[in-house]
Amino acid sequence: MRRLPITIIALLFPTAAFAHPDISHAAGLLHGFEHPLGGIDHILAMVAVGIFAFVLGGRALYLVPLSFVAMMIAGFLLGASAIDVPFVELGIALSSIVIGGAAALGRPMPVVGAMTLVGVFALFHGHAHGAEMPADGGGVLYAAGFVAATAVLHVTGIGAALLGTKLIGRYGRLAARIAGGVFAIGGIGVLSGWV
């Protein structure tokens, strides 16, 4: 667990290794970082992943978000290669409904099942990132940007749930489940167009 904060910092500042960073590198990284933060559908789903991981607990706390990131990168490669994936927008819209709903239910689930569940939806998110990458996006740095933003959103969900548990004690898990339900309702709002 001690390596997680270091990994997140490394993902947030990948240009720090360049002695003379090129402005185009920074632009690619910034475009990538902004993409998940630019749409409520992405934000809802990615924070919901963190909440879902918290509700499941144990190894799911880190394996579920890592699965999302890994499959998002796979989807990015498909989108950047102009390989069509059907129902991308629907998959993105459904992601917060299903992931938030799974958190709200709070039912035990095998870690592999949870990883698969979030991974399927991550493929759609990643495809959108790849298909919408600006021509001057700089591929790897653009990907590093959206991976970093996604990690921040996952950690936000986990952190909020942990803080809730610290503040309200034994009702923290219940509060996280309620938050999952709120994210699912938000996803319904995105799907229906009222959010």
Side-chain angles (χ1 to χ4, degrees), residues 115-128:
M115 291 169 66
T116 302
L117 176 72
V118 301
V120 167
F121 290 110
L123 195 68
F124 295 120
H125 285 270
H127 189 279

Side-chain angles (χ1 to χ4, degrees), residues 4 8 11-12 32-54 61 64-66 68-69 72 92 95-96 99 125 129 144-162 183:
L4 185 60
I8 292 169
L11 287 172
L12 290 174
F33 192 83
E34 289 175 337
H35 192 263
L37 303 176
I40 190 70
D41 49 354
H42 291 298
I43 293 170
L44 287 171
M46 293 172 188
V47 175
V49 168
I51 292 170
F52 180 46
F54 171 84
L61 196 59
V64 167
L66 286 175
F68 189 96
V69 170
M72 186 179 61
I92 291 171
S95 61
S96 58
I99 296 167
H125 285 270
H129 295 323
F146 72 73
V147 165
T150 299
V152 167
L153 292 169
H154 290 336
V155 169
T156 298
I158 293 169
L162 286 170
F183 280 88

Side-chain angles (χ1 to χ4, degrees), residues 53-79:
F54 171 84
V55 167
L56 292 173
R59 294 182 319 134
L61 196 59
Y62 61 92
L63 289 177
V64 167
L66 286 175
S67 174
F68 189 96
V69 170
M71 289 304 292
M72 186 179 61
I73 292 169
F76 165 75
L77 294 172
L78 293 173

Side-chain angles (χ1 to χ4, degrees), residues 14-15 18 22-33 76-77 80 129-130 132-146:
T15 58
F18 298 130
D22 183 342
I23 217 65
S24 64
H25 292 306
L29 182 70
L30 184 60
H31 284 301
F33 192 83
F76 165 75
L77 294 172
H129 295 323
E132 297 171 14
M133 179 174 62
D136 64 343
V140 172
L141 287 172
Y142 176 82
F146 72 73

